[in-house]
Amino acid sequence: MPVQLTTALRVVGTSLFALAVLGGILAAYVTGYQFIHTEKHYLSFGLYGAILGLHLLIQSLFAFLEHRRMRRAGQALKLPSLRRGSVALCIAAYQEDPDYLRKCLRSAQRISFPDLKVVMVVDGNRQEDAYMLDIFHEVLGGTEQAGFFVWRSNYHEVGEGETEASLQEGMDRVRDVVRASTFSCIMQKWGGKREVMYTAFKALGDSVDYIQAQDLLSHGGSEESLAGYLTVVHLGSWDLVELSWGPKCLGKSP
């Protein structure tokens, strides 16, 4: 049976069921028919309560069946391919609470997923934004695995004093830092969340197989917990992904 026809039948069936339940509840409420009751009607059980109870039972049954179907679908996608590929976790930071940012980065540091890259992009490169880079150095810096770059521009807006040559040099530097580092931090000119995500995706290119984007991460754990937590974007055909800029689209790096 075609998918569209199946969906239409499910919508019609669900709508008819909802109308039947609503009609039954209204009829029971209006008639006020009671099956049992105490002498002065302090306690009673009638048709209205029976329909509500039946409705709750059917809803619980539907929820159970849907939950079982989702679990079976999840077991079929036990992410075997994810373990064979590389993953990048992209964290967007904008004027974050220092303590919360530290917890976020420590959580990312504790993830034991193999070949995981952590890319934090700070939306702002002013002096008042520098504390987020300091926190990155405090938690993830100090090793050969960590890298950072403060960029005067972003991919869609040229910073003050930037020339065409220095802009291209900045783009190359962002790409090199992100691809060469296990933990990387890019501070760039403010441009909003879409610009931050664009920078992370553009710099990573096809160097990883999957990308997970987060505002801030408050989840740490093992490979298994990450596999159950990530909603990943497979980059096999990521040239089709558009960041609702308008004409700008992500494409595979040359």
Side-chain angles (χ1 to χ4, degrees), residues 1-12:
M1 183 179 294
V3 176
Q4 292 181 343
L5 179 58
T6 303
T7 303
L9 290 176
R10 291 184 64 181
V11 170
V12 172

Side-chain angles (χ1 to χ4, degrees), residues 6-230:
T6 303
T7 303
L9 290 176
R10 291 184 64 181
V11 170
V12 172
T14 303
S15 301
L16 291 176
F17 173 74
L19 289 174
V21 170
L22 179 60
I25 290 176
L26 288 175
Y29 182 78
V30 171
T31 59
Y33 181 80
Q34 296 179 346
F35 296 120
I36 56 174
H37 59 82
T38 59
E39 183 177 354
K40 295 186 178 180
H41 294 272
Y42 290 128
L43 296 174
S44 65
F45 178 73
L47 182 60
Y48 181 71
I51 292 178
L52 285 180
L54 180 62
H55 177 249
L56 180 61
L57 180 63
I58 294 175
Q59 289 285 68
S60 300
L61 176 62
F62 286 164
F64 170 75
L65 293 176
E66 181 68 14
H67 181 66
R68 188 175 67 171
R69 185 187 67 82
M70 293 177 65
R71 288 187 62 183
R72 286 179 176 176
Q75 288 174 358
L77 295 173
K78 204 75 174 184
L79 295 181
S81 60
L82 183 60
R83 291 195 176 99
R84 292 197 297 268
S86 55
V87 177
L89 178 63
C90 304
I91 304 173
Y94 174 71
Q95 297 181 357
E96 305 297 344
D97 176 80
D99 291 335
Y100 189 43
L101 181 58
R102 285 188 185 90
K103 291 178 181 178
C104 163
L105 295 179
R106 286 169 184 156
S107 179
Q109 188 181 38
R110 289 195 300 268
I111 296 174
S112 60
F113 198 88
D115 299 320
L116 177 70
K117 281 182 175 290
V118 177
V119 182
M120 185 175 84
V121 182
V122 179
D123 193 17
N125 57 6
R126 298 173 299 178
Q127 187 61 38
E128 52 264 40
D129 300 314
Y131 75 94
M132 289 180 279
L133 178 59
D134 294 338
I135 293 173
F136 172 83
H137 286 312
E138 173 189 330
V139 178
L140 299 176
T143 68
E144 295 181 355
Q145 297 177 316
F148 74 96
F149 179 63
V150 179
W151 193 12
R152 287 184 290 177
S153 305
N154 58 48
Y155 276 101
H156 295 92
E157 190 173 349
V158 179
E160 184 178 355
E162 194 88 277
T163 64
E164 185 175 347
S166 63
L167 177 63
Q168 184 59 51
E169 182 181 350
M171 292 181 182
D172 294 340
R173 179 64 176 157
V174 169
R175 181 196 60 203
D176 293 343
V177 167
V178 168
R179 296 192 179 195
S181 307
T182 302
F183 306 109
S184 58
C185 177
I186 303 298
M187 286 185 64
Q188 66 178 24
K189 182 179 177 61
W190 179 86
K193 183 178 178 180
R194 287 193 181 95
E195 187 64 57
V196 167
M197 293 295 100
Y198 188 92
T199 295
F201 273 66
K202 188 71 174 178
L204 285 164
D206 57 1
S207 64
V208 294
D209 300 306
Y210 301 88
I211 289 180
Q212 162 70 14
Q214 287 292 127
D215 285 333
L216 273 183
L217 179 69
S218 58
H219 177 98
S222 64
E223 173 183 346
E224 289 75 14
S225 62
L226 180 67
Y229 157 74
L230 288 180

